[in-house]
Amino acid sequence: MITRRNLLSGMAAAGLMHGLPFAGPNAMAKAQDDWARLFKDALADNPLLLGWQGVDGAPLESGALNITGAWPKDLSGRFFRNGPAIHERFGKRFRHWFDADGMIQEFRIANGQVRHRGRVIDTPKRRQETAAGKQLFSGFGTHVSGGPAVRGPDTLNTANISMLHHGDELMALWEAGSPTLINAETLAANGFKQWLPDLKGAPFTAHPKTDPDGTLWAFGYSALPRPTLLLYHVDAQGEVKSVAAVKVDYTGLPHDFVVTAKHVVIILPPLILDRDALQEPNVTFLDAHRWQPELGTRVLIADKSDLSKQRWAQLPPGFFFHHGNAWEEADGTIRLDLCWSKGPDLLFGALRNVMRGDITPAGNGSPHYASVKLPPGRDGVIDVSGDVMEFTKVAPSTVGQRHNYVYGLSAAAADTFPFNRLVKRNLASGATEIYAFGGHIIAEEHVFVPRPSQKAEDDGWLIGTHLDTQKAITNLAVFDAQAVSDGPLATAALPYPLPLGFHGIFVADT
Amino acid sequence: MRTLSLSTVAAALLLVPAFAQAGDLSVMLENVANADGALLVGVHTKSADFPDDASHVSGQMQAAQAGEITVHFKNLPAGRYAIALLHDANSNGKLDSNRLGIPVEGVGFSNNATGSFGPPAFAKAAFDVPADGVVTQSIKLAY
């Protein structure tokens, strides 16, 4: 009797396996590259690595989740998260956490129940690579040679950083290219968002800011072909009011920004792209960047009412991903907070090493809470005395206004990576409330969701995911933002682990 | 009237069929995204400015159609050439760029040559047209 096994072994003997669209387990093992093997071996010894194992791209669907505690009945809507998720394709493992195709994690929250869906974002890049059966395009920290033409940033767009819901459109955000439109019902990718006719393929930050009145502000940065900062002003309905293109003599890596009531503030770390290095063979985009602290940190401040009105300020050198919020004092001094590092070690070290199964310290990239003052007409000053903090969030009602609290992730030791603490910081006193997850847990960004009848800035919840590497599952937790140290009000347990991601948004049911 | 004017010589030179040392070129355009606008096929000789107009020696324009389309060039003098393709979807006769200067219409080059943040050099896209016979280039448009 012919079984599948007989058939396969017979075909293999006849040399027919070559070119078949599938391969047996042995063939797969042989096809894995050295980083994939290193990671697999390391994962057997260190369960924390589960967060970077990645998934195969199949849709995930949980059904109603088991809940511990009492999920708040008046918290109702959808919590979306995004992040790189398919860390190995065609046997080859990406060389940096930032490189995998994005995956949307949707948590549908209603009547005290939670359901999860996960969908890979099928970008043009992913579709081309799927059709070719191999990786075709280089990423941020992964080099692939011999691929087809790169026509612009969207050829490489992995849509893998964050989400945006604005003007009735749901989008998955990258930062070097366009937002990817997402069908809110099916979660399928539905082409790129083009804000204006002359902005096809233009970059759009992963961290747009929404004023309390619904106005959306964003920037887009491109080092090539000529370094340009785009400043976007979009009204609450999604109509573009203006986009200013600012030519800058800066080729670097800005990631986040802040707005005050009157200004857009973009802080440019001195991690500088060497365009000649980019032409060398096998050099990744990341490795073509040079840390140049002697340049200091430059700050572009543009007037919201006329984005062409700009001034520059200077700060000491530092590297940073995420910002908190900003406001203006009566004399025009801009105040803001952000997560400040002495240098970019995290980017070049830990965030890369983890892909081959090495969890390494954050080094000079250890992020600390810092507050910045930018007085009119003078250089800025920075106070970096805060504790370890990253993935900062504030109440949406405070964007551009003076805020009293900032929420984020932290760790027990300064250069620990990853994070396992949730922190609420009181700006005035510097006091922090902390909830420490266990050492086997990796916490992810928690977003502030206001209570429907919000009475105070911190009257609401913090919701976010954490990976339990002992149970090998991801949980969604909800905290009372006024009692963070008490631990979660409720936790919804997924029946599977999710790849660690980056950023989320909460979209309330209307 | 035995004197040949310069323009007559020039005209004669353009009458390529009169020369024996000429071949045919078939250009197959692949991956045409849609039927919007026109497909511009430019044949160029060696130039540091490739694919700018200065090196352009022959060209054809066809209405776009999705998928594949083949364009023929007859009697090209034997020599080394490179092809630049443009899917001019809005029929304005030029390659459109976004506000950052990044081209946003479909392009392609012979040998499917690619450049680094720009068009490929002539040498990467160059191929020979023989003295007789047909040479074929299959070029995939990239958008």
PDB file of all heavy atoms in Angstrom, chain A residues 402-413:
ATOM      1  N   ARG A 402      -0.079  70.342  29.841  1.00  0.00           N
ATOM      2  CA  ARG A 402       0.716  69.912  30.995  1.00  0.00           C
ATOM      3  C   ARG A 402       0.126  68.618  31.563  1.00  0.00           C
ATOM      4  O   ARG A 402      -1.075  68.534  31.832  1.00  0.00           O
ATOM      5  CB  ARG A 402       0.719  70.996  32.068  1.00  0.00           C
ATOM      6  CG  ARG A 402       1.576  70.600  33.241  1.00  0.00           C
ATOM      7  CD  ARG A 402       1.850  71.750  34.177  1.00  0.00           C
ATOM      8  NE  ARG A 402       2.946  71.353  35.063  1.00  0.00           N
ATOM      9  CZ  ARG A 402       3.912  72.155  35.455  1.00  0.00           C
ATOM     10  NH1 ARG A 402       3.911  73.413  35.075  1.00  0.00           N
ATOM     11  NH2 ARG A 402       4.864  71.715  36.236  1.00  0.00           N
ATOM     12  N   HIS A 403       0.958  67.608  31.737  1.00  0.00           N
ATOM     13  CA  HIS A 403       0.496  66.339  32.286  1.00  0.00           C
ATOM     14  C   HIS A 403       1.140  66.121  33.648  1.00  0.00           C
ATOM     15  O   HIS A 403       2.243  66.603  33.924  1.00  0.00           O
ATOM     16  CB  HIS A 403       0.787  65.176  31.341  1.00  0.00           C
ATOM     17  CG  HIS A 403       2.238  64.982  30.990  1.00  0.00           C
ATOM     18  ND1 HIS A 403       2.986  65.941  30.344  1.00  0.00           N
ATOM     19  CD2 HIS A 403       3.082  63.934  31.197  1.00  0.00           C
ATOM     20  CE1 HIS A 403       4.219  65.494  30.163  1.00  0.00           C
ATOM     21  NE2 HIS A 403       4.309  64.289  30.672  1.00  0.00           N
ATOM     22  N   ASN A 404       0.419  65.402  34.497  1.00  0.00           N
ATOM     23  CA  ASN A 404       0.926  65.116  35.836  1.00  0.00           C
ATOM     24  C   ASN A 404       1.530  63.729  35.954  1.00  0.00           C
ATOM     25  O   ASN A 404       2.291  63.463  36.876  1.00  0.00           O
ATOM     26  CB  ASN A 404      -0.207  65.249  36.858  1.00  0.00           C
ATOM     27  CG  ASN A 404      -0.732  66.673  36.912  1.00  0.00           C
ATOM     28  OD1 ASN A 404       0.020  67.586  37.246  1.00  0.00           O
ATOM     29  ND2 ASN A 404      -1.985  66.869  36.552  1.00  0.00           N
ATOM     30  N   TYR A 405       1.123  62.838  35.033  1.00  0.00           N
ATOM     31  CA  TYR A 405       1.567  61.444  35.137  1.00  0.00           C
ATOM     32  C   TYR A 405       2.058  60.946  33.790  1.00  0.00           C
ATOM     33  O   TYR A 405       1.533  61.318  32.737  1.00  0.00           O
ATOM     34  CB  TYR A 405       0.412  60.539  35.591  1.00  0.00           C
ATOM     35  CG  TYR A 405      -0.251  60.993  36.859  1.00  0.00           C
ATOM     36  CD1 TYR A 405      -1.507  61.612  36.830  1.00  0.00           C
ATOM     37  CD2 TYR A 405       0.384  60.824  38.094  1.00  0.00           C
ATOM     38  CE1 TYR A 405      -2.112  62.048  37.986  1.00  0.00           C
ATOM     39  CE2 TYR A 405      -0.221  61.267  39.258  1.00  0.00           C
ATOM     40  CZ  TYR A 405      -1.471  61.873  39.209  1.00  0.00           C
ATOM     41  OH  TYR A 405      -2.061  62.310  40.356  1.00  0.00           O
ATOM     42  N   VAL A 406       3.065  60.079  33.860  1.00  0.00           N
ATOM     43  CA  VAL A 406       3.488  59.342  32.681  1.00  0.00           C
ATOM     44  C   VAL A 406       3.600  57.875  33.087  1.00  0.00           C
ATOM     45  O   VAL A 406       3.980  57.560  34.219  1.00  0.00           O
ATOM     46  CB  VAL A 406       4.809  59.914  32.097  1.00  0.00           C
ATOM     47  CG1 VAL A 406       5.948  59.810  33.092  1.00  0.00           C
ATOM     48  CG2 VAL A 406       5.192  59.237  30.793  1.00  0.00           C
ATOM     49  N   TYR A 407       3.197  57.003  32.164  1.00  0.00           N
ATOM     50  CA  TYR A 407       3.200  55.560  32.425  1.00  0.00           C
ATOM     51  C   TYR A 407       4.217  54.901  31.513  1.00  0.00           C
ATOM     52  O   TYR A 407       4.420  55.338  30.378  1.00  0.00           O
ATOM     53  CB  TYR A 407       1.807  54.969  32.160  1.00  0.00           C
ATOM     54  CG  TYR A 407       0.693  55.736  32.834  1.00  0.00           C
ATOM     55  CD1 TYR A 407       0.052  56.794  32.178  1.00  0.00           C
ATOM     56  CD2 TYR A 407       0.305  55.435  34.139  1.00  0.00           C
ATOM     57  CE1 TYR A 407      -0.954  57.517  32.791  1.00  0.00           C
ATOM     58  CE2 TYR A 407      -0.713  56.159  34.769  1.00  0.00           C
ATOM     59  CZ  TYR A 407      -1.330  57.203  34.088  1.00  0.00           C
ATOM     60  OH  TYR A 407      -2.316  57.927  34.707  1.00  0.00           O
ATOM     61  N   GLY A 408       4.840  53.851  31.989  1.00  0.00           N
ATOM     62  CA  GLY A 408       5.817  53.182  31.128  1.00  0.00           C
ATOM     63  C   GLY A 408       6.283  51.878  31.727  1.00  0.00           C
ATOM     64  O   GLY A 408       5.751  51.393  32.724  1.00  0.00           O
ATOM     65  N   LEU A 409       7.291  51.303  31.077  1.00  0.00           N
ATOM     66  CA  LEU A 409       7.876  50.048  31.542  1.00  0.00           C
ATOM     67  C   LEU A 409       9.229  50.335  32.172  1.00  0.00           C
ATOM     68  O   LEU A 409       9.903  51.303  31.827  1.00  0.00           O
ATOM     69  CB  LEU A 409       8.049  49.073  30.378  1.00  0.00           C
ATOM     70  CG  LEU A 409       6.782  48.707  29.617  1.00  0.00           C
ATOM     71  CD1 LEU A 409       7.118  47.733  28.493  1.00  0.00           C
ATOM     72  CD2 LEU A 409       5.731  48.107  30.549  1.00  0.00           C
ATOM     73  N   SER A 410       9.614  49.464  33.071  1.00  0.00           N
ATOM     74  CA  SER A 410      10.897  49.639  33.731  1.00  0.00           C
ATOM     75  C   SER A 410      11.488  48.267  34.065  1.00  0.00           C
ATOM     76  O   SER A 410      10.909  47.227  33.736  1.00  0.00           O
ATOM     77  CB  SER A 410      10.723  50.484  34.991  1.00  0.00           C
ATOM     78  OG  SER A 410      11.983  50.797  35.537  1.00  0.00           O
ATOM     79  N   ALA A 411      12.639  48.308  34.688  1.00  0.00           N
ATOM     80  CA  ALA A 411      13.328  47.081  35.091  1.00  0.00           C
ATOM     81  C   ALA A 411      14.024  47.338  36.404  1.00  0.00           C
ATOM     82  O   ALA A 411      14.287  48.484  36.774  1.00  0.00           O
ATOM     83  CB  ALA A 411      14.331  46.670  34.019  1.00  0.00           C
ATOM     84  N   ALA A 412      14.336  46.258  37.125  1.00  0.00           N
ATOM     85  CA  ALA A 412      14.936  46.401  38.450  1.00  0.00           C
ATOM     86  C   ALA A 412      16.336  47.000  38.367  1.00  0.00           C
ATOM     87  O   ALA A 412      16.740  47.785  39.209  1.00  0.00           O
ATOM     88  CB  ALA A 412      14.976  45.043  39.141  1.00  0.00           C
ATOM     89  N   ALA A 413      17.086  46.627  37.350  1.00  0.00           N
ATOM     90  CA  ALA A 413      18.455  47.110  37.219  1.00  0.00           C
ATOM     91  C   ALA A 413      18.588  47.991  35.985  1.00  0.00           C
ATOM     92  O   ALA A 413      17.827  47.868  35.037  1.00  0.00           O
ATOM     93  CB  ALA A 413      19.418  45.935  37.133  1.00  0.00           C
TER      94      ALA A 413
END
